[in-house]
Amino acid sequence: MKMLALTYRYIGPDAAHQLLLEPIERGDNVVIPISGEQYMKMFPHVGRTELEDQTYVLENIYDPKLAVHEPDILLVYIGHHAVDKTAEFLTHFGGSEVHVVTCQCDLEARKKALSTYAFRRAIMHPQSECGGNKTMHRLVMEFLETGALHYPRPS
């Protein structure tokens, strides 16, 4: 199974222990992390703000037309910025199981953005902390161990 994990921030329990921009393999399970914050560290001359990071990542780092990257599972953090652009981006993944990580801040706007693009089949994980880095990390580790993601537990 292959997962693409996409966020404008980083994926990890904290900034000192974050996943790098390289595939992680465990048995038959592979995670391809795409992190705007990691990318910005590699190419600091880009100089993007938080508002632009996720949009920049979507437009310049990941090409959804590349079949080699067609994931079984897409795990994406939708933050306060670039909500519409991210929701639109999800429409490129018709064959993938999509999990959306988000916090409670302005949750209705994020749900509305998903429905605007007729993307109602996304599995929401709305119990994330702001920024989603810890929740994304937990879900990535779950996938590497089991080859699947489970539906979020109700709070």
Short mmCIF file of all heavy atoms in Angstrom, two decimals, residues 99-139:
data_model
loop_
_atom_site.label_atom_id
_atom_site.label_comp_id
_atom_site.label_asym_id
_atom_site.label_seq_id
_atom_site.Cartn_x
_atom_site.Cartn_y
_atom_site.Cartn_z
N HIS A 99 -8.11 10.96 3.38
CA HIS A 99 -8.29 11.30 4.79
C HIS A 99 -7.86 12.75 4.96
O HIS A 99 -6.75 13.12 4.57
CB HIS A 99 -7.45 10.40 5.69
CG HIS A 99 -7.94 9.00 5.74
ND1 HIS A 99 -8.62 8.50 6.83
CD2 HIS A 99 -7.87 7.99 4.84
CE1 HIS A 99 -8.93 7.24 6.60
NE2 HIS A 99 -8.50 6.90 5.40
N VAL A 100 -8.75 13.56 5.53
CA VAL A 100 -8.48 14.98 5.73
C VAL A 100 -8.31 15.23 7.23
O VAL A 100 -9.20 14.95 8.02
CB VAL A 100 -9.63 15.85 5.19
CG1 VAL A 100 -9.41 17.32 5.55
CG2 VAL A 100 -9.74 15.69 3.68
N VAL A 101 -7.14 15.73 7.60
CA VAL A 101 -6.84 16.10 8.99
C VAL A 101 -7.08 17.59 9.12
O VAL A 101 -6.64 18.38 8.28
CB VAL A 101 -5.38 15.75 9.34
CG1 VAL A 101 -5.03 16.26 10.74
CG2 VAL A 101 -5.15 14.25 9.23
N THR A 102 -7.79 17.98 10.17
CA THR A 102 -8.05 19.39 10.41
C THR A 102 -8.34 19.61 11.88
O THR A 102 -8.68 18.67 12.60
CB THR A 102 -9.23 19.89 9.53
OG1 THR A 102 -9.34 21.30 9.67
CG2 THR A 102 -10.53 19.24 9.92
N CYS A 103 -8.19 20.84 12.31
CA CYS A 103 -8.53 21.17 13.70
C CYS A 103 -9.96 21.74 13.72
O CYS A 103 -10.62 21.81 12.68
CB CYS A 103 -7.53 22.15 14.28
SG CYS A 103 -7.53 23.76 13.47
N GLN A 104 -10.40 22.16 14.86
CA GLN A 104 -11.76 22.67 15.01
C GLN A 104 -11.91 24.13 14.58
O GLN A 104 -13.03 24.60 14.42
CB GLN A 104 -12.21 22.54 16.48
CG GLN A 104 -12.35 21.10 16.94
CD GLN A 104 -13.52 20.41 16.27
OE1 GLN A 104 -14.61 20.96 16.18
NE2 GLN A 104 -13.29 19.21 15.77
N CYS A 105 -10.81 24.83 14.37
CA CYS A 105 -10.88 26.24 13.99
C CYS A 105 -11.55 26.38 12.63
O CYS A 105 -11.06 25.86 11.63
CB CYS A 105 -9.47 26.83 13.92
SG CYS A 105 -8.52 26.67 15.43
N ASP A 106 -12.66 27.07 12.59
CA ASP A 106 -13.37 27.33 11.34
C ASP A 106 -13.66 26.05 10.56
O ASP A 106 -13.54 26.00 9.34
CB ASP A 106 -12.59 28.34 10.50
CG ASP A 106 -13.49 29.12 9.55
OD1 ASP A 106 -14.73 29.06 9.74
OD2 ASP A 106 -12.97 29.76 8.63
N LEU A 107 -14.03 24.99 11.28
CA LEU A 107 -14.26 23.68 10.69
C LEU A 107 -15.34 23.71 9.62
O LEU A 107 -15.23 23.04 8.59
CB LEU A 107 -14.63 22.67 11.79
CG LEU A 107 -14.87 21.23 11.36
CD1 LEU A 107 -13.64 20.66 10.68
CD2 LEU A 107 -15.27 20.39 12.56
N GLU A 108 -16.39 24.49 9.83
CA GLU A 108 -17.48 24.54 8.85
C GLU A 108 -17.01 25.07 7.50
O GLU A 108 -17.47 24.61 6.46
CB GLU A 108 -18.66 25.36 9.39
CG GLU A 108 -19.38 24.67 10.56
CD GLU A 108 -19.79 23.23 10.24
OE1 GLU A 108 -20.38 22.98 9.16
OE2 GLU A 108 -19.49 22.34 11.06
N ALA A 109 -16.09 26.03 7.51
CA ALA A 109 -15.56 26.55 6.24
C ALA A 109 -14.79 25.46 5.50
O ALA A 109 -14.86 25.37 4.28
CB ALA A 109 -14.65 27.75 6.50
N ARG A 110 -14.10 24.62 6.23
CA ARG A 110 -13.33 23.54 5.59
C ARG A 110 -14.28 22.49 5.02
O ARG A 110 -14.07 21.99 3.92
CB ARG A 110 -12.36 22.93 6.60
CG ARG A 110 -11.33 23.96 7.04
CD ARG A 110 -10.56 23.50 8.23
NE ARG A 110 -9.99 24.67 8.89
CZ ARG A 110 -8.99 24.62 9.72
NH1 ARG A 110 -8.43 23.47 10.02
NH2 ARG A 110 -8.53 25.72 10.28
N LYS A 111 -15.32 22.17 5.77
CA LYS A 111 -16.32 21.21 5.27
C LYS A 111 -17.01 21.78 4.03
O LYS A 111 -17.27 21.06 3.06
CB LYS A 111 -17.34 20.90 6.35
CG LYS A 111 -16.81 20.02 7.46
CD LYS A 111 -17.90 19.75 8.48
CE LYS A 111 -17.41 18.86 9.61
NZ LYS A 111 -18.46 18.64 10.62
N LYS A 112 -17.31 23.07 4.06
CA LYS A 112 -17.97 23.71 2.92
C LYS A 112 -17.07 23.68 1.68
O LYS A 112 -17.53 23.41 0.57
CB LYS A 112 -18.33 25.16 3.26
CG LYS A 112 -19.05 25.88 2.14
CD LYS A 112 -19.39 27.29 2.51
CE LYS A 112 -20.06 27.96 1.33
NZ LYS A 112 -20.17 29.39 1.48
N ALA A 113 -15.78 23.92 1.87
CA ALA A 113 -14.84 23.88 0.75
C ALA A 113 -14.82 22.49 0.13
O ALA A 113 -14.82 22.34 -1.10
CB ALA A 113 -13.44 24.29 1.20
N LEU A 114 -14.82 21.46 0.96
CA LEU A 114 -14.83 20.10 0.43
C LEU A 114 -16.11 19.83 -0.35
O LEU A 114 -16.08 19.25 -1.43
CB LEU A 114 -14.68 19.08 1.56
CG LEU A 114 -13.31 19.00 2.19
CD1 LEU A 114 -13.35 18.11 3.43
CD2 LEU A 114 -12.28 18.48 1.19
N SER A 115 -17.25 20.27 0.18
CA SER A 115 -18.52 20.01 -0.52
C SER A 115 -18.64 20.84 -1.79
O SER A 115 -19.26 20.41 -2.75
CB SER A 115 -19.71 20.25 0.41
OG SER A 115 -19.81 21.62 0.74
N THR A 116 -18.02 22.02 -1.82
CA THR A 116 -18.04 22.86 -3.02
C THR A 116 -17.42 22.12 -4.20
O THR A 116 -17.87 22.23 -5.33
CB THR A 116 -17.26 24.17 -2.77
OG1 THR A 116 -17.93 24.89 -1.75
CG2 THR A 116 -17.19 25.02 -4.03
N TYR A 117 -16.40 21.34 -3.92
CA TYR A 117 -15.73 20.58 -4.98
C TYR A 117 -16.27 19.15 -5.06
O TYR A 117 -15.61 18.27 -5.59
CB TYR A 117 -14.22 20.59 -4.75
CG TYR A 117 -13.66 21.96 -4.98
CD1 TYR A 117 -13.44 22.83 -3.92
CD2 TYR A 117 -13.41 22.43 -6.27
CE1 TYR A 117 -12.97 24.11 -4.13
CE2 TYR A 117 -12.94 23.71 -6.49
CZ TYR A 117 -12.73 24.54 -5.42
OH TYR A 117 -12.27 25.82 -5.64
N ALA A 118 -17.46 18.95 -4.53
CA ALA A 118 -18.15 17.66 -4.58
C ALA A 118 -17.26 16.55 -4.02
O ALA A 118 -17.25 15.44 -4.51
CB ALA A 118 -18.60 17.34 -6.00
N PHE A 119 -16.52 16.89 -2.98
CA PHE A 119 -15.61 15.92 -2.40
C PHE A 119 -16.13 15.50 -1.04
O PHE A 119 -15.50 15.72 -0.01
CB PHE A 119 -14.20 16.50 -2.30
CG PHE A 119 -13.17 15.43 -2.42
CD1 PHE A 119 -12.74 15.02 -3.66
CD2 PHE A 119 -12.66 14.80 -1.30
CE1 PHE A 119 -11.82 14.01 -3.79
CE2 PHE A 119 -11.74 13.80 -1.43
CZ PHE A 119 -11.32 13.39 -2.68
N ARG A 120 -17.29 14.89 -1.04
CA ARG A 120 -17.93 14.51 0.21
C ARG A 120 -17.45 13.16 0.74
O ARG A 120 -17.75 12.79 1.85
CB ARG A 120 -19.44 14.49 0.02
CG ARG A 120 -19.99 15.88 -0.26
CD ARG A 120 -21.49 15.84 -0.53
NE ARG A 120 -21.95 17.14 -0.90
CZ ARG A 120 -21.97 17.60 -2.15
NH1 ARG A 120 -21.55 16.85 -3.14
NH2 ARG A 120 -22.43 18.81 -2.42
N ARG A 121 -16.70 12.42 -0.06
CA ARG A 121 -16.27 11.10 0.38
C ARG A 121 -15.02 11.12 1.25
O ARG A 121 -14.57 10.08 1.72
CB ARG A 121 -16.06 10.18 -0.82
CG ARG A 121 -14.91 10.56 -1.70
CD ARG A 121 -14.80 9.62 -2.90
NE ARG A 121 -13.73 10.01 -3.78
CZ ARG A 121 -12.46 9.72 -3.60
NH1 ARG A 121 -12.09 9.02 -2.56
NH2 ARG A 121 -11.56 10.12 -4.46
N ALA A 122 -14.44 12.27 1.47
CA ALA A 122 -13.25 12.36 2.31
C ALA A 122 -13.59 11.96 3.74
O ALA A 122 -14.64 12.30 4.27
CB ALA A 122 -12.69 13.79 2.30
N ILE A 123 -12.67 11.23 4.36
CA ILE A 123 -12.82 10.83 5.75
C ILE A 123 -12.18 11.91 6.60
O ILE A 123 -10.98 12.16 6.49
CB ILE A 123 -12.15 9.46 5.99
CG1 ILE A 123 -12.82 8.42 5.08
CG2 ILE A 123 -12.23 9.07 7.46
CD1 ILE A 123 -12.02 7.14 4.92
N MET A 124 -12.99 12.57 7.41
CA MET A 124 -12.51 13.71 8.20
C MET A 124 -11.92 13.23 9.53
O MET A 124 -12.47 12.36 10.18
CB MET A 124 -13.64 14.69 8.48
CG MET A 124 -14.25 15.33 7.25
SD MET A 124 -13.15 16.53 6.45
CE MET A 124 -13.20 17.87 7.62
N HIS A 125 -10.80 13.84 9.89
CA HIS A 125 -10.17 13.65 11.20
C HIS A 125 -10.13 15.05 11.84
O HIS A 125 -9.10 15.71 11.84
CB HIS A 125 -8.76 13.09 11.06
CG HIS A 125 -8.71 11.72 10.48
ND1 HIS A 125 -8.65 10.58 11.25
CD2 HIS A 125 -8.73 11.30 9.19
CE1 HIS A 125 -8.62 9.52 10.47
NE2 HIS A 125 -8.68 9.93 9.21
N PRO A 126 -11.28 15.52 12.38
CA PRO A 126 -11.36 16.91 12.86
C PRO A 126 -10.86 17.13 14.29
O PRO A 126 -11.01 18.21 14.82
CB PRO A 126 -12.86 17.20 12.77
CG PRO A 126 -13.49 15.87 13.06
CD PRO A 126 -12.57 14.85 12.45
N GLN A 127 -10.27 16.13 14.89
CA GLN A 127 -9.83 16.28 16.29
C GLN A 127 -8.34 16.62 16.39
O GLN A 127 -7.72 16.42 17.42
CB GLN A 127 -10.13 14.99 17.07
CG GLN A 127 -11.58 14.57 17.03
CD GLN A 127 -12.53 15.65 17.52
OE1 GLN A 127 -12.23 16.37 18.45
NE2 GLN A 127 -13.67 15.77 16.86
N SER A 128 -7.79 17.13 15.32
CA SER A 128 -6.36 17.45 15.30
C SER A 128 -6.06 18.71 16.08
O SER A 128 -6.91 19.58 16.25
CB SER A 128 -5.92 17.64 13.85
OG SER A 128 -4.60 18.13 13.78
N GLU A 129 -4.82 18.82 16.50
CA GLU A 129 -4.32 20.08 17.04
C GLU A 129 -4.13 21.05 15.87
O GLU A 129 -4.06 20.60 14.72
CB GLU A 129 -2.98 19.86 17.78
CG GLU A 129 -1.81 19.53 16.89
CD GLU A 129 -1.81 18.11 16.31
OE1 GLU A 129 -2.62 17.25 16.73
OE2 GLU A 129 -1.01 17.86 15.39
N CYS A 130 -4.08 22.33 16.13
CA CYS A 130 -3.83 23.31 15.07
C CYS A 130 -2.48 23.00 14.43
O CYS A 130 -1.49 22.77 15.12
CB CYS A 130 -3.85 24.73 15.62
SG CYS A 130 -5.48 25.25 16.17
N GLY A 131 -2.43 22.98 13.12
CA GLY A 131 -1.21 22.65 12.38
C GLY A 131 -1.12 21.19 11.99
O GLY A 131 -0.52 20.85 11.00
N GLY A 132 -1.71 20.32 12.80
CA GLY A 132 -1.85 18.91 12.45
C GLY A 132 -0.60 18.06 12.45
O GLY A 132 -0.67 16.88 12.11
N ASN A 133 0.56 18.59 12.82
CA ASN A 133 1.79 17.82 12.69
C ASN A 133 1.80 16.55 13.54
O ASN A 133 2.26 15.50 13.08
CB ASN A 133 3.03 18.68 12.98
CG ASN A 133 2.93 19.43 14.28
OD1 ASN A 133 2.10 20.33 14.39
ND2 ASN A 133 3.75 19.10 15.24
N LYS A 134 1.29 16.59 14.76
CA LYS A 134 1.28 15.39 15.62
C LYS A 134 0.27 14.37 15.13
O LYS A 134 0.55 13.17 15.10
CB LYS A 134 0.99 15.78 17.07
CG LYS A 134 2.09 16.57 17.71
CD LYS A 134 1.72 16.99 19.11
CE LYS A 134 2.79 17.92 19.65
NZ LYS A 134 2.42 18.48 20.95
N THR A 135 -0.91 14.83 14.74
CA THR A 135 -1.94 13.92 14.24
C THR A 135 -1.50 13.28 12.94
O THR A 135 -1.66 12.07 12.73
CB THR A 135 -3.28 14.66 14.07
OG1 THR A 135 -3.68 15.18 15.34
CG2 THR A 135 -4.36 13.74 13.52
N MET A 136 -0.92 14.07 12.05
CA MET A 136 -0.40 13.51 10.79
C MET A 136 0.65 12.44 11.08
O MET A 136 0.64 11.37 10.48
CB MET A 136 0.20 14.62 9.92
CG MET A 136 -0.79 15.64 9.39
SD MET A 136 -1.74 15.08 7.96
CE MET A 136 -0.50 15.06 6.69
N HIS A 137 1.53 12.72 12.02
CA HIS A 137 2.59 11.76 12.37
C HIS A 137 1.98 10.47 12.92
O HIS A 137 2.37 9.36 12.52
CB HIS A 137 3.55 12.39 13.39
CG HIS A 137 4.70 11.51 13.72
ND1 HIS A 137 4.77 10.81 14.90
CD2 HIS A 137 5.82 11.20 13.02
CE1 HIS A 137 5.89 10.12 14.92
NE2 HIS A 137 6.55 10.33 13.80
N ARG A 138 1.01 10.59 13.82
CA ARG A 138 0.36 9.41 14.39
C ARG A 138 -0.30 8.57 13.30
O ARG A 138 -0.17 7.35 13.28
CB ARG A 138 -0.68 9.83 15.44
CG ARG A 138 -1.42 8.65 16.07
CD ARG A 138 -2.45 9.10 17.10
NE ARG A 138 -3.43 10.04 16.62
CZ ARG A 138 -4.48 9.73 15.85
NH1 ARG A 138 -4.66 8.50 15.45
NH2 ARG A 138 -5.32 10.67 15.47
N LEU A 139 -0.98 9.22 12.37
CA LEU A 139 -1.66 8.49 11.29
C LEU A 139 -0.66 7.85 10.31
O LEU A 139 -0.90 6.74 9.83
CB LEU A 139 -2.64 9.42 10.57
CG LEU A 139 -3.84 9.86 11.41
CD1 LEU A 139 -4.62 10.95 10.70
CD2 LEU A 139 -4.73 8.69 11.76
#
